[in-house]
């Protein structure tokens, strides 16, 4: 089952789960539309051939949803009855922290075996160095900023580029360094408006004619990208500013090789962990090895921003 916001690599993970089941002679059933489909019994048997030609596809062919009903005890009760009525006895959940929180409650109430696979572009899940979709999203963002740079430099403009990431700045920080951004605004580090102006002033004085500032959607500088544009234009007359909000394009597209390989490894590990009798864990990758983290830790834990990258970014803007 895939649930919550989709992410590139989800299809590759579904394929890996289905084929690992086939390899071990376990029957596999796809649950459509996340917890909504679990409650309604929207199931279909999947064989190794059902997942041909999807490793390269963005989105999720099982579809995804955010279910209100599953947040209620009655909803979860219905879901449990549906699963039992067709003989499903374990579930692989592919999603983010909302998906795992629902799964944990379900496991607590009905002792239903489950394993999570982290699928979200935000990379905000504890217990894994990388979530599925994050690498692809980074590549998408860098590719788009490269294009924005062409027009920014032709017109000698400053661009504020807003990227996704919900409450964390991993996409902004990594894509910002990868795209050579002048400044990167993330929720984990409050640069402050004064220092932003100072940095832009210095940049102009050093001879740069155009600049890209990457802004994480959850940034806490106190102004959104459009207000930042006005603020900079009011305080630094030498700047002509434009804004680009990248939005949901960051969630789409064919998964990168990294995400496909990660999805394949996670799918195998998820199914084989269930077969070993493990439950209520999330599969992750830590130091390039597959690792299991209890779901409650994965949900409650915090991911740390890479401080070294912040310093690299500062040095690069010299
Ligand atoms: O969690 C993935 C994500 O794309 C976040 O980066 C973003 O804040 C959110 O989902 C957007 O959610 P929705 O698709 O419901 O607008």
């Amino acid at each position: 089952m895939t649930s919550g916001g989709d992410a590139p690599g989800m299809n590759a993970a579904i394929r890996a789960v289905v084929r690992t089941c086939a390899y071990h002679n376990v029957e596999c059933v796809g649950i459509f539309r996340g917890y909504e489909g679990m409650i309604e019994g929207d199931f279909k048997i999947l064989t190794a051939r059902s997942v041909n030609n999807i490793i390269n596809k963005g989105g999720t062919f099982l579809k995804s949803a955010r279910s209100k009903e599953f947040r209620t005890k009655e909803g979860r009760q219905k879901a449990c009855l549906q699963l039992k009525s067709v003989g499903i006895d374990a579930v692989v959940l592919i999603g983010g922290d909302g998906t795992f929180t629902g799964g944990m409650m379900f496991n607590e109430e009905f002792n239903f075996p489950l394993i999570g696979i982290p699928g979200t572009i935000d990379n905000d899940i504890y217990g894994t160095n990388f979530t599925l979709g994050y690498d692809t999203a980074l590549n998408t963002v860098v590719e788009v900023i490269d294009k924005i740079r062409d027009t920014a430099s032709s017109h000698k403009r400053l661009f504020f580029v807003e990227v996704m990431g919900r409450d964390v700045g991993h996409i902004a920080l990594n894509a910002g360094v990868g795209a050579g951004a002048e400044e990167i605004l993330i929720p984990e580090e409050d640069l402050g408006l004064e220092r932003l102006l100072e940095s832009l002033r210095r940049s102009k004085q050093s001879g740069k004619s155009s600049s890209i500032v990457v802004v994480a959607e959850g940034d806490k500088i106190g102004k959104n990208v459009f207000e930042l544009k006005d603020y900079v234009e009011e305080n630094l007359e030498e700047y002509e500013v434009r804004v680009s909000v990248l939005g949901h394009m960051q969630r789409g597209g064919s998964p990168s090789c990294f995400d496909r390989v990660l999805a394949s490894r996670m799918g195998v590990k998820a199914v084989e962990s269930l077969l070993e009798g493990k439950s209520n864990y999330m599969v992750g990758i830590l130091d390039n090895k597959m690792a299991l983290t209890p779901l409650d830790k994965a949900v409650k834990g915090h991911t740390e921003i890479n401080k070294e990258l912040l310093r690299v970014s500062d040095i690069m803007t010299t």
Side-chain angles (χ1 to χ4, degrees):
M1 184 190 92
T2 49
S3 165
D6 62 336
M10 280 185 163
N11 276 326
I14 296 165
R15 171 182 179 270
V17 168
V18 173
R19 294 219 170 140
T20 310
C21 285
Y23 179 84
H24 289 287
N25 292 317
V26 172
E27 191 171 56
C28 185
V29 175
I31 301 171
F32 285 79
R33 296 182 292 114
Y35 289 121
E36 287 286 325
M38 195 188 265
I39 291 169
E40 290 168 25
D42 195 355
F43 307 145
K44 189 176 164 203
I45 289 179
L46 301 176
T47 68
R49 295 287 73 77
S50 315
V51 289
N52 286 351
N53 303 323
I54 65 165
I55 191 167
N56 56 333
K57 300 274 192 313
T60 159
F61 95 98
L62 288 180
K63 313 290 178 205
S64 194
R66 292 184 167 122
S67 169
K68 279 197 185 134
E69 201 180 349
F70 195 78
R71 291 192 198 139
T72 66
K73 177 101 196 241
E74 296 71 42
R76 294 192 292 275
Q77 179 84 53
K78 275 193 215 164
C80 186
L81 289 174
Q82 291 283 15
L83 294 175
K84 289 196 168 151
S85 73
V86 293
I88 294 176
D89 39 31
V91 177
V92 177
L93 302 170
I94 308 172
D97 55 357
T99 305
F100 297 159
T101 304
M104 263 163 43
M105 291 168 94
F106 192 61
N107 179 270
E108 232 167 67
E109 288 163 357
F110 306 105
N111 197 23
F112 207 96
L114 49 90
I115 292 276
I117 291 181
T120 163
I121 62 166
D122 301 335
N123 206 34
D124 58 349
I125 312 268
Y126 180 84
T128 188
N129 297 140
F130 301 103
T131 56
L132 288 183
Y134 173 59
D135 181 69
T136 305
L138 287 182
N139 285 304
T140 302
V141 171
V142 166
E143 196 185 323
V144 175
I145 296 180
D146 286 349
K147 294 185 200 301
I148 292 175
R149 179 182 291 284
D150 289 344
T151 172
S153 71
S154 302
H155 287 268
K156 298 188 170 187
R157 282 171 172 163
L158 161 66
F159 266 81
F160 284 109
V161 180
E162 186 190 275
V163 300
M164 280 188 169
R166 208 182 283 275
D167 304 319
V168 297
H170 299 297
I171 295 179
L173 182 55
N174 281 268
V177 170
E182 192 61 38
E183 278 296 348
I184 303 168
L185 307 185
I186 53 174
E188 294 86 348
E189 286 276 325
D190 188 2
L191 179 68
L193 288 167
E194 259 321 302
R195 274 170 57 206
L196 174 65
L197 290 184
E198 192 43 46
S199 156
L200 292 174
R201 234 177 249 126
R202 252 188 286 118
S203 155
K204 211 33 152 203
Q205 282 159 6
S206 78
K208 289 189 188 172
S209 58
S210 65
S211 300
I212 307 283
V213 174
V214 174
V215 186
E217 66 174 336
D219 173 61
K220 298 196 171 59
I221 202 163
K223 293 189 186 291
N224 67 36
V225 272
F226 296 99
E227 292 165 346
L228 277 177
K229 170 190 187 301
D230 294 343
Y231 182 77
V232 169
E233 283 183 335
E234 274 160 27
N235 288 280
L236 301 175
E237 278 176 3
E238 61 272 39
Y239 272 105
E240 189 183 351
V241 190
R242 291 290 183 273
V243 169
S244 189
V245 177
L246 301 192
H248 285 78
M249 65 145 72
Q250 294 164 92
R251 289 229 300 254
S254 180
S256 64
C257 179
F258 180 89
D259 275 329
R260 296 180 198 193
V261 173
L262 183 62
S264 305
R265 293 175 75 185
M266 285 180 167
V268 170
K269 181 71 178 176
V271 173
E272 293 191 338
S273 299
L274 283 171
L275 292 175
E276 285 163 15
K278 301 200 172 91
S279 172
N280 226 13
Y281 286 99
M282 182 196 79
V283 174
I285 184 165
L286 296 173
D287 296 329
N288 201 25
K289 290 194 180 65
M290 289 295 108
L292 293 177
T293 300
L295 270 185
D296 62 331
K297 277 199 179 165
V299 167
K300 287 188 203 126
H302 287 287
T303 52
E304 295 289 324
I305 210 76
N306 185 344
K307 297 265 185 201
E308 183 221 334
L309 265 190
L310 280 175
R311 189 164 169 269
V312 168
S313 167
D314 278 350
I315 294 173
M316 289 305 111
T317 53
T318 307

